[in-house]
């Protein structure tokens, strides 16, 4: 294992301090996430297109009509930004109920990417599912991918990594509780 950078140590310390203040169990043995030097940097355009693609898939999973989803994918030029599994899901005439639920959860990832582009002010503590309606409103306001991407302002990678580390540690606390037959801590 490589030595951790001061950036990584500081990030872990900030995350663990916040978790402790919120009453969330801390695992001091969790590894660090990548440093800013180690992570793959994406452009605002890449993040923007992927956020829009995730929203289209999530809304389809939540019950949006197929014709509406196809129109969004076409209007926003999202075809190449869909994963193979997402394309397959969107092309299915009658996906299974569980499959729809699974793809609806992609709205959570979209919410995070909208945050990375400053369309969402804060992620907050993950105590309830994200509401996709404000994200859809933002999409409709822009009307196409170009204006949406042009208006997005990518947060600094260090800020994105701070949130990624915090979410990683929240996730550990929830999984640990489930594995030990306990309720998720503090409403996570």
């Amino acid at each position: 294992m490589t030595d951790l950078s001061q950036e990584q140590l500081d990030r872990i310390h900030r995350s663990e301090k916040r978790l402790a203040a919120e009453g969330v169990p801390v695992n001091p043995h969790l590894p660090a996430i990548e440093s800013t030097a180690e992570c793959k940097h994406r452009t605002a355009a890449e993040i923007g297109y992927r956020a829009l693609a995730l929203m289209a898939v999530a809304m389809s999973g939540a019950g949006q009509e197929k014709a509406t989803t196809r129109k969004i994918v076409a209007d926003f030029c999202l075809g190449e930004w869909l994963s193979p599994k997402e394309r397959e899901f969107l092309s299915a005439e009658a996906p299974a109920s569980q499959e729809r639920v699974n793809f609806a959860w992609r709205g959570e990832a979209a919410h995070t990417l909208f945050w990375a582009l400053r369309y969402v002010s804060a992620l907050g503590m993950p105590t309830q599912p994200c509401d996709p309606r404000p994200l859809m409103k933002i999409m409709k306001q822009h009307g196409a991918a170009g204006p949406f991407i042009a208006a997005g302002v990518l947060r600094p990678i260090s800020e994105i990594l701070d949130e990624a580390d915090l979410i990683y540690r929240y996730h550990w606390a929830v999984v640990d509780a489930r594995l030990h037959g306990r309720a998720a801590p503090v409403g996570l």
Side-chain angles (χ1 to χ4, degrees):
M1 181 174 179
T2 62
D3 292 329
L4 297 179
S5 68
Q6 191 60 49
E7 169 200 352
Q8 290 170 298
L9 294 170
D10 291 346
R11 180 170 291 118
I12 290 168
H13 175 74
R14 286 190 303 272
S15 291
E16 289 180 346
K17 184 177 177 183
R18 178 171 167 182
L19 293 171
E22 293 171 345
V24 177
V26 172
N27 179 347
H29 306 291
L30 283 180
I33 65 168
E34 295 85 353
S35 68
T36 54
E38 295 169 321
C39 76
K40 182 172 183 171
H41 296 246
R42 304 283 184 171
T43 67
E46 290 172 310
I47 292 168
Y49 276 111
R50 190 65 188 132
L52 293 169
L54 286 166
M55 275 306 300
V57 171
M59 294 310 294
S60 183
Q64 179 174 266
E65 292 184 20
K66 290 285 186 181
T68 302
T69 301
R70 282 191 278 275
K71 181 169 175 25
I72 290 170
V73 169
D75 289 352
F76 284 82
C77 304
L78 302 177
E80 71 181 88
W81 297 95
L82 297 167
S83 73
K85 286 184 179 183
E86 291 165 349
R87 279 190 205 95
E88 183 180 327
F89 169 71
L90 293 180
S91 67
E93 285 305 316
S97 178
Q98 186 60 53
E99 189 176 24
R100 287 194 317 272
V101 168
N102 293 346
F103 282 97
W105 278 107
R106 300 214 175 178
E108 298 295 312
H111 185 265
T112 303
L113 296 182
F114 274 65
W115 168 83
L117 293 172
R118 298 180 192 262
Y119 283 113
V120 173
S121 61
L123 291 178
M125 194 172 179
T127 56
Q128 59 189 6
C130 300
D131 182 357
R133 291 173 297 190
L135 306 182
M136 287 302 295
K137 183 177 178 182
I138 292 166
M139 285 178 71
K140 287 178 183 177
Q141 287 171 341
H142 288 90
F148 174 84
I149 290 165
V153 178
L154 188 59
R155 292 178 187 272
I157 192 68
S158 60
E159 186 177 353
I160 294 169
L161 289 173
D162 283 351
E163 286 295 320
D165 185 77
L166 183 63
I167 291 166
Y168 164 58
R169 293 170 196 286
Y170 278 135
H171 183 259
W172 171 84
V174 170
V175 171
D176 184 66
R178 184 179 66 232
L179 290 174
H180 291 95
R182 299 186 304 262
V186 296
L188 294 175

